[in-house]
Amino acid sequence: MTTLPAVPAAPGPVNRVVPPNPKQAVLVVLGFTVLMYLVELVDLILPVDLDRWGIVARSWSGLDGVIWAPLLHSGWSHLFSNTLPVLVFGFLAMAGGLGQWIAVTVTIWLVSGLGVWLTAPSDVVTVGASGIAFGWLAFLLVRGIFNRSLKQLAVALALFLYWGSTLLGVFPGNPQISWQGHLFGALAGVLTAWLTSRASRGKGKVEQAGPAVPELPA
């Protein structure tokens, strides 16, 4: 018997630059942003200090701050400065779909927080979503390289021209700013860009065998 040539796999989302479901993406990033504002409002109204649930380096009691720190901010100005990056980067990072975005975000969230817990000064409490924002930005800047996508590289160039100077935040500077969270968030963003690229390309290499064609009698 003979076989037909393999049918090329349909192109996947590896080169996409906007979310496949924009409305869902908007709702997700808005929901996350609203949650941060609600937490800050509760911290302002109630006689509690929620910021104490941030990350305290190398303290077992402060390890759970890895989970809570991105939702906490030291004040409204701190939250305002993180709002636009969270909205823009979070939306664009959902180009691979909600499932991929969740995996990318969780990885950045944990790596950034654990990096702070391991390396930050032990006499400070670290809070804020900038580690996640840096991770999303790094993810968006390098994914086009791993995916060999001109469209994603064009988006990366636009982001770099507008926000490139913020990347200096991965270096020590202002003692009131956690460069550790920025650095480990950015490293996690590069890592997730590489991992998602490999996963997407792996799906695209699935070969499909053609149906068998019976031989006709001579």
Side-chain angles (χ1 to χ4, degrees):
M1 62 181 179
T2 60
T3 57
L4 298 176
V7 179
V14 67
N15 295 321
R16 190 180 291 136
V17 295
V18 295
N21 189 336
K23 290 183 179 180
Q24 179 190 64
V26 168
L27 289 176
V28 170
V29 295
L30 278 179
F32 179 70
T33 304
V34 168
L35 177 59
M36 294 192 301
Y37 274 78
L38 288 176
V39 170
E40 189 62 26
L41 184 62
V42 169
D43 193 27
L44 175 67
I45 295 176
L46 298 183
V48 294
D49 181 15
L50 295 181
D51 290 348
R52 64 189 176 90
W53 293 102
I55 302 171
V56 181
R58 295 173 298 285
S59 167
W60 292 115
S61 62
L63 183 58
D64 57 355
V66 171
I67 304 299
W68 309 118
L71 301 175
L72 304 169
H73 291 81
S74 59
W76 290 110
S77 62
H78 185 201
L79 178 55
F80 293 157
S81 67
N82 281 334
T83 298
L84 183 60
V86 165
L87 289 172
V88 175
F89 304 158
F91 175 82
L92 293 175
M94 218 175 297
L98 181 60
Q100 182 189 98
W101 182 85
I102 292 174
V104 167
T105 301
V106 169
T107 301
I108 294 171
W109 193 307
L110 294 178
V111 172
S112 174
L114 289 173
V116 170
W117 188 80
L118 289 171
T119 63
S122 58
D123 59 344
V124 299
V125 180
T126 302
V127 297
S130 57
I132 294 178
F134 266 74
W136 283 335
L137 177 58
F139 173 83
L140 294 168
L141 290 177
V142 303
R143 64 177 179 174
I145 299 174
F146 295 125
N147 293 332
R148 302 182 183 91
S149 169
L150 291 178
K151 292 189 295 183
Q152 291 179 351
L153 287 173
V155 172
L157 177 61
L159 292 174
F160 181 78
L161 290 176
Y162 191 84
W163 273 289
S165 61
T166 64
L167 295 174
L168 296 175
V170 302
F171 300 108
N174 189 335
Q176 301 299 318
I177 298 177
S178 174
W179 63 269
Q180 297 93 343
H182 299 169
L183 174 61
F184 284 96
L187 291 176
V190 174
L191 173 63
T192 52
W194 178 70
L195 291 175
T196 55
S197 173
R198 284 176 59 88
S200 296
R201 291 189 176 277
K203 291 179 182 178
K205 292 180 180 178
V206 177
E207 295 181 355
Q208 300 178 11
V213 178
E215 295 181 350
L216 296 177

